[in-house]
Amino acid sequence: NAGVTQTPKFRILKIGQSMTLQCTQDMNHNYMYWYRQDPGMGLKLIYYSVGAGITDKGEVPNGYNVSRSTTEDFPLRLELAAPSQTSVYFCASSYAREGPGSYEQYFGPGTRLTVT
Amino acid sequence: QQPVQSPQAVILREGEDAVINCSSSKALYSVHWYRQKHGEAPVFLMILLKGGEQKGHEKISASFNEKKQQSSLYLTASQLSYSGTYFCGPEDFGNEKLTFGTGTRLTIIP
């Protein structure tokens, strides 16, 4: 299994441009997440999904959009990029637990995005 | 509100012990712990569930005080490979998501 894969690894955007960060997992996990991590800081949840066709906002959703048409894929769309979106973006996935609580999250290698 | 971890940073000599604390303002169902090495993705260490069930690996242990909404991670006889930033991820009731803590940077020196 490849686990969680993300593309691209690095990207430089100009202010106002748009792009899609790709995330794919091959573990048949139904939960998927997008986080951003600013330099020297912790992880902030952008969006998450509990299954195909279902998405919900996290702590910092402004400026981003997501879709989940399949179990495997969870792309993150940046519209009108701003310097404040310069960050490392991590995608993660996990199994759903029967009942409350969740299983461990598996993270992709990250996408380092710079907006200038 | 972001969970608070303490200390923010700690430097240890190889073989010494460390405790990392995590405090949340919410009633918790579980607490996850992850370690992130510089330039890499976070990696799962352990889950502590309400009621005492614990899942994890490596020679690292943890505790979960549900009433105080706190968790502590214990690293004994630290090894060089333990260096990195440790994040707690408390999970409150009814949510399928974690709110990660502020992080604790651990440096192990020979």
Side-chain angles (χ1 to χ4, degrees):
Chain A
N1 287 349
V4 181
T5 58
Q6 293 182 238
T7 57
K9 290 185 178 180
F10 305 92
R11 184 73 186 268
I12 298 174
L13 281 182
K14 293 189 183 299
I15 294 172
Q17 287 185 323
S18 300
M19 75 165 294
T20 298
L21 282 65
Q22 301 292 343
C23 175
T24 300
Q25 54 90 11
D26 62 358
M27 297 175 282
N28 202 32
H29 288 171
N30 48 352
Y31 288 2
M32 295 188 74
Y33 310 84
W34 273 106
Y35 297 93
R36 60 174 287 173
Q37 185 175 35
D38 298 336
M41 304 296 284
L43 297 153
K44 298 284 190 181
L45 182 65
I46 305 171
Y47 271 96
Y48 67 105
S49 169
V50 299
I54 305 169
T55 62
D56 208 346
K57 296 178 180 179
E59 302 171 70
V60 290
N62 291 342
Y64 307 94
N65 278 299
V66 293
S67 60
R68 183 101 182 266
S69 56
T70 67
T71 299
E72 295 79 18
D73 301 308
F74 191 39
L76 178 71
R77 178 81 177 164
L78 277 74
E79 305 282 0
L80 299 175
S84 61
Q85 293 178 305
T86 293
S87 192
V88 179
Y89 291 83
F90 289 105
C91 179
S93 70
S94 71
Y95 283 116
R97 180 186 287 271
E98 289 185 11
S102 62
Y103 287 110
E104 61 267 33
Q105 295 187 14
Y106 294 80
F107 284 80
T111 293
R112 189 174 299 273
L113 176 68
T114 301
V115 182
T116 61
Chain B
Q1 193 169 3
Q2 191 174 20
V4 177
Q5 290 183 229
S6 62
Q8 287 186 315
V10 59
I11 299 174
L12 297 177
R13 291 198 176 276
E14 203 173 1
E16 292 182 335
D17 301 339
V19 180
I20 300 172
N21 300 302
C22 173
S23 294
S24 174
S25 59
K26 297 182 177 182
L28 304 176
Y29 186 81
S30 73
V31 179
H32 293 217
W33 284 95
Y34 292 79
R35 177 171 62 208
Q36 184 179 30
K37 293 188 178 287
H38 183 68
E40 299 181 7
V43 174
F44 167 76
L45 290 175
M46 188 171 298
I47 287 179
L48 298 142
L49 299 178
K50 180 178 169 64
E53 181 186 347
Q54 177 174 319
K55 273 182 58 177
H57 58 93
E58 297 188 19
K59 298 176 183 178
I60 297 173
S61 62
S63 64
F64 178 21
N65 188 321
E66 300 154 23
K67 288 185 178 179
K68 292 185 177 180
Q69 297 162 197
Q70 293 177 344
S71 179
S72 295
L73 189 71
Y74 306 96
L75 299 97
T76 56
S78 57
Q79 306 169 18
L80 293 174
S81 62
Y82 286 5
S83 290
T85 300
Y86 289 76
F87 292 101
C88 67
E91 182 177 23
D92 54 357
F93 288 91
N95 284 312
E96 301 86 7
K97 60 185 190 295
L98 308 177
T99 304
F100 282 94
T102 48
T104 296
R105 186 168 65 244
L106 176 66
T107 304
I108 310 294
I109 56 176

